[in-house]
Amino acid sequence: MAPNEAANITTPSEPESVGGSEMSSEDTAAARPLLSSSSPSPSLSPSAASAAPVLESIEELDRRYAPYARRDAYGPMGLGPLSAAEAARLAFAAVVLVPLRVMAGVLVLVVYYLVCRVCTLRVEEEREGGEGDGYARLDGWRRAGVVRCGRALARAMLFVFGFYWIREYDCRFPNAEVVTMSSSSSQDDDVDQSKETERPGAIVSNHVSYVDILYHMSASFPSFVAKRSVARLPLVGLISKCLGCIFVQRESKTSDFKGVSGAVTERIQRAHQQKNAPVMLLFPEGTTTNGDYLLPFKTGAFLAKAPLRPVILRYPYKRFNPAWESMSGARHVFLLLCQFVNYLEVVHLPVYYPSEQEKDDSKLYANNVRKLMAVEGNLILSDLGLAEKRVYHAALNGNSLPRALHQKDD
């Protein structure tokens, strides 16, 4: 397939100063967060005069860093003003809905932790490269128990979060649509069996939220790359090891990247060649977006030269956008639990088999898959990345842009 070119969005190499030259030169005004909810005193005309530039600065930031801007009813960082009706709805959900969902979610998590604990009894961890946090390579009944229970309980967790229906579209079959409820249907099983025969080495997906992980766990139960700190979390640490995660230290500036890249390549090749090996899940963008854009792809998923399964996730919303952007994790979970119904649409693209040119050039392979996903998912291509996202978040929190620019990394 030769997809059409999607429009690229470019940004200036150096962001302008936040607020522009019209803002006050006082240090207190310069350090004030852009989203400060405090209103200026009527008697202070300079402060009142600076209110308009602050609002214009937020709008300018949202335009410049469009892939990370929230445009739902809750505004940037989830701190925007709410109508009386929305505030009442939020208060009711916080009192009634959130406690029930939290208890149900903890119950699901504990049950799966116990399953993983039983299935890993007397199983030694296998470490990539002989060091660091390992993973549990399970076989036989142990693997079957972890996978089957994991898929069912991941779907149960999605149900707890309000994803009662998930619409799945398979592009190999025109007009084919599968609507999954709290349990997998026979039609869904048939689709999974047909996919299994093609044996992609990895699944590449756009990244919108931590909910992405739950969906992929419920659909195919893949292995994925996670921060090393995840392995040490209570309950979640053991579960991530049973998933076969490759743990990395994101802030590390050492040559450890070669070890991680090699481990990912080996896993992808093994999954492509061995039927019982778990497929790798990779988010080549390296960070999340608001769901409307597709960032440049890193090449780690494409170095193995194996065929890949592209998957596109979309989260239609009315009030709260499930995309995890510009707000704390705790606030995002709270607002997500307060929304009675959340929606998820999934587009499964055909397995992408690389050409000889793409096998020899991982960047070409990555760019072609990215363009295909942008066209099929109606996503906008953007040249921004994780570094620009950190600049945007620093500006929203009132930090200086020059300091944020020094924190860029790959």
Side-chain angles (χ1 to χ4, degrees):
M1 171 181 288
N4 296 329
E5 293 285 345
N8 282 295
I9 292 186
T10 58
T11 58
S13 58
E14 293 293 334
E16 298 175 1
S17 299
V18 178
S21 59
E22 298 180 14
M23 292 189 65
S24 172
S25 60
E26 297 180 3
D27 292 339
T28 56
R32 183 174 60 242
L34 293 177
L35 297 179
S36 176
S37 58
S38 59
S39 58
S41 173
S43 60
L44 300 177
S45 56
S47 299
S50 65
V54 170
L55 294 177
E56 291 175 0
S57 298
I58 296 175
E59 294 174 356
E60 176 62 25
L61 283 170
D62 286 348
R63 285 193 297 268
R64 184 175 300 136
Y65 303 103
Y68 314 119
R70 298 191 65 88
R71 297 181 177 86
D72 59 7
Y74 293 87
M77 300 178 69
L79 299 173
L82 299 177
S83 64
E86 187 64 31
R89 185 185 294 108
L90 194 63
F92 176 80
V95 174
V96 178
L97 192 59
V98 172
L100 295 176
R101 285 181 165 176
V102 168
M103 288 189 293
V106 171
L107 177 62
V108 170
L109 186 63
V110 170
V111 168
Y112 191 47
Y113 170 80
L114 295 177
V115 171
C116 292
R117 176 59 67 187
V118 171
C119 291
T120 55
L121 289 175
R122 300 181 180 180
V123 175
E124 294 184 0
E125 292 184 2
E126 181 172 335
R127 288 173 169 79
E128 304 284 359
E131 59 182 11
D133 296 287
Y135 70 98
R137 180 179 290 185
L138 306 175
D139 298 310
W141 67 269
R142 298 175 186 269
R143 175 67 183 173
V146 167
V147 171
R148 292 178 181 178
C149 292
R151 291 185 63 178
L153 292 175
R155 185 63 187 91
M157 186 68 82
L158 286 170
F159 194 91
V160 169
F161 274 99
F163 294 91
Y164 308 122
W165 305 275
I166 298 177
R167 294 188 176 275
E168 301 189 68
Y169 304 89
D170 199 313
C171 288
R172 296 174 306 164
F173 307 104
N175 301 323
E177 176 183 343
V178 179
V179 181
T180 62
M181 302 296 287
S182 58
S183 60
S184 299
S185 63
S186 60
Q187 186 178 3
D188 190 27
D189 292 337
D190 292 339
V191 172
D192 286 341
Q193 290 175 4
S194 65
K195 291 176 183 176
E196 187 70 14
T197 61
E198 298 184 352
R199 294 306 301 166
I203 297 171
V204 291
S205 172
N206 62 320
H207 202 10
V208 183
S209 173
Y210 50 82
V211 180
D212 303 347
I213 299 291
L214 289 175
Y215 167 74
H216 286 292
M217 284 182 62
S218 69
S220 56
F221 204 81
S223 301
F224 55 93
V225 178
K227 291 192 295 185
R228 186 165 295 172
S229 58
V230 173
R232 299 178 176 86
L233 293 175
L235 304 180
V236 177
L238 178 61
I239 294 174
S240 64
K241 292 180 179 180
C242 288
L243 280 164
C245 290
I246 298 176
F247 299 103
V248 300
Q249 189 69 32
R250 190 174 208 173
E251 293 78 11
S252 176
K253 300 297 182 181
T254 65
S255 59
D256 185 56
F257 168 77
K258 294 182 180 179
V260 174
S261 178
V264 170
T265 300
E266 180 184 350
R267 293 279 195 92
I268 293 176
Q269 292 174 341
R270 183 190 305 167
H272 176 50
Q273 298 169 359
Q274 301 177 12
K275 183 177 181 180
N276 295 327
V279 175
M280 281 292 299
L281 167 65
L282 293 165
F283 300 107
E285 294 171 284
T287 188
T288 55
T289 68
N290 58 16
D292 296 328
Y293 292 79
L294 201 61
L295 306 181
F297 280 5
K298 301 181 184 300
T299 59
F302 307 90
L303 295 174
K305 306 178 182 180
L308 304 172
R309 162 79 69 185
V311 176
I312 303 167
L313 304 180
R314 297 189 295 235
Y315 293 85
Y317 66 93
K318 294 181 179 179
R319 292 191 302 273
F320 177 71
N321 184 2
W324 186 19
E325 287 303 329
S326 67
M327 70 172 65
S328 66
R331 183 169 184 80
H332 187 276
V333 171
F334 172 75
L335 293 176
L336 188 65
L337 292 176
C338 284
Q339 189 155 260
F340 183 71
V341 180
N342 290 295
Y343 301 94
L344 173 58
E345 295 179 353
V346 185
V347 179
H348 297 274
L349 299 182
V351 174
Y352 192 105
Y353 293 92
S355 65
E356 292 301 322
Q357 287 183 328
E358 291 171 330
K359 289 181 180 180
D360 295 335
D361 188 347
S362 58
K363 290 186 178 180
L364 176 64
Y365 189 5
N367 289 335
N368 287 345
V369 173
R370 177 175 176 247
K371 292 175 183 178
L372 173 64
M373 293 177 63
V375 171
E376 297 294 339
N378 195 24
L379 301 173
I380 304 172
L381 294 177
S382 172
D383 293 333
L384 303 187
L386 179 60
E388 287 79 9
K389 181 178 183 179
R390 288 175 174 172
V391 172
Y392 174 65
H393 286 182
L396 288 179
N397 286 284
N399 297 331
S400 61
L401 290 180
R403 179 182 178 183
L405 287 171
H406 287 300
Q407 297 175 353
K408 286 187 177 184
D409 61 0
D410 294 334

